[in-house]
Amino acid sequence: QVQLVESGGGLVQPGGSLRLSCAASGGIFSRYVVAWYRQAPGKQRELVASVAPGGITNYADSLKGRFTISRDNAKNMVNLQMDTLKPEDTAVYYCAGMASGMAYWGQGTQVTVAS
């Protein structure tokens, strides 16, 4: 059973930075596409960024240049560096791992951008 645990969320002022981490266990992590999604109150869950097993990354167009996803297969971890944060980035951020038609989700971590 694959388990994903997010960490690193919190309260940050506009213009600040946060680094989210997703720690995986219970599967062959290096084979998974890992993605970060977010869901703001009253809105649908949306893709933030993803990283393929070989390291190819994909970003939501609106977030390119501010967010950076990276993976460390040796540590079974994927990070999301978020810079120049805006109030509209406030959401619960979820980590998802996908392989062989299966998808696994973490519990989410709250990110609040406010002064």
Side-chain angles (χ1 to χ4, degrees):
Q1 182 71 21
V2 175
Q3 291 187 326
L4 302 172
V5 179
E6 302 95 337
S7 62
L11 173 64
V12 62
Q13 292 186 341
S17 298
L18 278 178
R19 184 179 179 86
L20 305 184
S21 294
C22 173
S25 62
I28 304 176
F29 179 76
S30 61
R31 295 182 180 177
Y32 283 77
V33 174
V34 181
W36 285 95
Y37 287 78
R38 69 184 184 183
Q39 188 166 20
K43 295 186 177 181
Q44 290 188 331
R45 192 171 295 189
E46 62 176 354
L47 175 68
V48 173
S50 65
V51 57
I56 295 174
T57 57
N58 181 55
Y59 296 90
D61 287 342
S62 61
L63 300 177
K64 288 180 180 177
R66 294 197 298 122
F67 288 18
T68 304
I69 191 171
S70 60
R71 70 187 298 159
D72 185 337
N73 289 335
K75 295 182 178 179
N76 285 2
M77 186 167 290
V78 169
N79 297 313
L80 182 70
Q81 178 67 37
M82 306 186 295
D83 298 317
T84 320
L85 284 162
K86 303 176 182 180
E88 51 263 43
D89 295 319
T90 294
V92 178
Y93 284 71
Y94 298 90
C95 176
M98 295 154 282
S100 303
M102 299 293 292
Y104 303 91
W105 292 85
Q107 293 298 309
T109 185
Q110 175 70 46
V111 171
T112 302
V113 184
S115 55

